[in-house]
Amino acid sequence: MTLGVRVRVPATTANLGPGFDCLGLALDLWNEVDIRLIGNELKISNEGEGAGILPANAKNAIFRAMKALADQKDIPLPAGIQITSRNAIPLGSGLGSSAAAVLAGIFSAGSLFDVKLSFQEQLDLAAELEGHPDNVAPCLLGGLTACMQTEHGVVVRSLPLKEMPILIALPDFNFSTRVARSVLPKLVPYKDAVFNISHTLMVTQALQEGDFDLLKEAMQDRLHQPYRLPLIPGAQQAMEAAYRAGAATVALSGAGPALLVVCRYTEDRETVAGVMRTQFEQAGLAMRYFLPGIAFKGVETKIIHE
């Protein structure tokens, strides 16, 4: 039995406009988690994003994922577990912090208890714990992924894409996934469903080709953004300002409140961030921004030798 493991998990942005619950992209913004089997009690410390907010007890998402795997494989958890999280992924932002925690727990438990999980087992367990696979898939594989839920489990494929300048604009607004899903309609017009299917196909093509013009047209949505954006003060105005400042395209990152911006040129990102911040501030919200690249690799594990 291994005594310690370090797991790195990337942030993710899901939906990418019209690809609701099926498209996701991994970002070069990482949480790093050290887990040791030591002592005779559960000890959890959180540093960085979520410090003082994330549970430091058995309700912690990383520990719950560890326990879920242990229960599935009928392995008793030892009493002494020490979890240290150094978090760069903001909580409740639409950047996959929950999926990252789930996969950190699954991978650490697999290493610590010498459980050899297949890729499909990792994917299905993570999707079950997370509730949907769109963030789990890119966190697991890196890069751009497409996924679908079937009666036999989750099916996922990695898709080709070119590197593009990315900006994440994050207003200081509490917008939980539960609330974000509650505002969605139960039924949508047939034409809106067709709109999203066609646009999702073109998003994947635009990302593969690095075609900014096609991406701007394709990354439009009628299934979730029209219902969620009005609930985030300044979000619509920030999107419009980003386009005026030269952004190629803008969409909600997952359920939000973060906005995913793709720029045509790397040097445009600071300018675009500035005009977006102005719009959010006028709406009464502070705004942070991140300039991550694409993470072309997913979860990483390393044995801790001490």
Side-chain angles (χ1 to χ4, degrees), residues 45-56:
S45 64
N46 301 296
E47 305 170 8
E49 300 287 342
I53 300 173
L54 286 167

Side-chain angles (χ1 to χ4, degrees), residues 70-110:
D71 289 347
Q72 184 185 85
K73 299 300 181 181
D74 198 26
I75 298 171
L77 281 177
I81 298 177
Q82 183 183 88
I83 301 174
T84 303
S85 297
R86 293 175 289 277
N87 302 324
I89 306 172
L91 303 183
S93 58
L95 293 172
S97 62
S98 177
V102 165
L103 282 169
I106 290 172
F107 270 71
S108 60

Side-chain angles (χ1 to χ4, degrees), residues 9-275:
V9 280
T12 50
T13 179
N15 299 332
L16 306 182
F20 184 64
D21 278 5
C22 62
L23 289 183
L25 179 67
L27 302 174
D28 193 19
L29 184 69
W30 300 74
N31 286 356
E32 186 175 85
V33 183
D34 289 353
I35 302 181
R36 295 173 173 83
L37 302 182
I38 187 171
N40 55 13
E41 61 182 322
L42 175 64
K43 292 184 178 180
I44 301 176
S45 64
N46 301 296
E47 305 170 8
E49 300 287 342
I53 300 173
L54 286 167
N57 52 36
K59 294 182 179 180
N60 183 274
I62 297 172
F63 177 78
R64 286 191 286 111
M66 293 180 67
K67 187 175 186 306
L69 185 145
D71 289 347
Q72 184 185 85
K73 299 300 181 181
D74 198 26
I75 298 171
L77 281 177
I81 298 177
Q82 183 183 88
I83 301 174
T84 303
S85 297
R86 293 175 289 277
N87 302 324
I89 306 172
L91 303 183
S93 58
L95 293 172
S97 62
S98 177
V102 165
L103 282 169
I106 290 172
F107 270 71
S108 60
S111 294
L112 290 168
F113 308 136
D114 197 26
V115 176
K116 305 300 182 185
L117 293 178
S118 68
F119 171 79
Q120 193 64 49
E121 287 177 313
Q122 294 168 343
L123 177 63
D124 286 341
L125 178 57
E128 177 185 348
L129 295 174
E130 175 67 358
H132 41 87
D134 52 346
N135 288 102
V136 166
C139 189
L140 185 57
L141 288 172
L144 175 67
T145 60
C147 59
M148 65 178 180
Q149 188 80 53
T150 76
E151 60 183 36
H152 307 295
V154 180
V155 176
V156 62
R157 292 292 185 270
S158 293
L159 304 177
L161 81 159
K162 291 191 175 179
E163 184 77 73
M164 293 183 174
I166 289 175
L167 158 69
I168 298 293
L170 177 59
D172 184 14
F173 183 71
N174 183 19
F175 193 50
S176 71
T177 300
R178 180 185 60 80
V179 172
R181 286 190 175 271
S182 71
V183 301
L184 301 182
K186 303 299 182 185
L187 298 173
V188 296
Y190 187 86
K191 63 179 182 180
D192 288 349
V194 173
F195 179 96
N196 269 58
I197 292 170
S198 62
H199 281 65
T200 299
L201 291 171
M202 288 302 174
V203 165
T204 62
Q205 192 65 26
L207 291 172
Q208 178 179 342
E209 297 175 359
D211 187 331
F212 292 112
D213 292 332
L214 179 59
L215 189 63
K216 181 177 182 179
E217 194 68 36
M219 203 179 281
Q220 308 302 313
D221 161 77
R222 292 183 180 176
L223 295 186
H224 68 107
Q225 291 190 160
Y227 308 99
R228 290 169 167 171
L229 274 173
L231 301 181
I232 306 171
Q236 185 65 51
Q237 294 82 357
M239 290 179 72
E240 294 169 358
Y243 281 119
R244 291 194 297 270
T249 194
V250 190
L252 275 175
S253 180
L259 296 176
L260 164 69
V261 185
V262 178
C263 293
R264 295 174 184 271
Y265 306 102
T266 301
E267 55 269 25
D268 288 346
R269 294 184 298 178
E270 296 279 358
T271 300
V272 172
V275 299

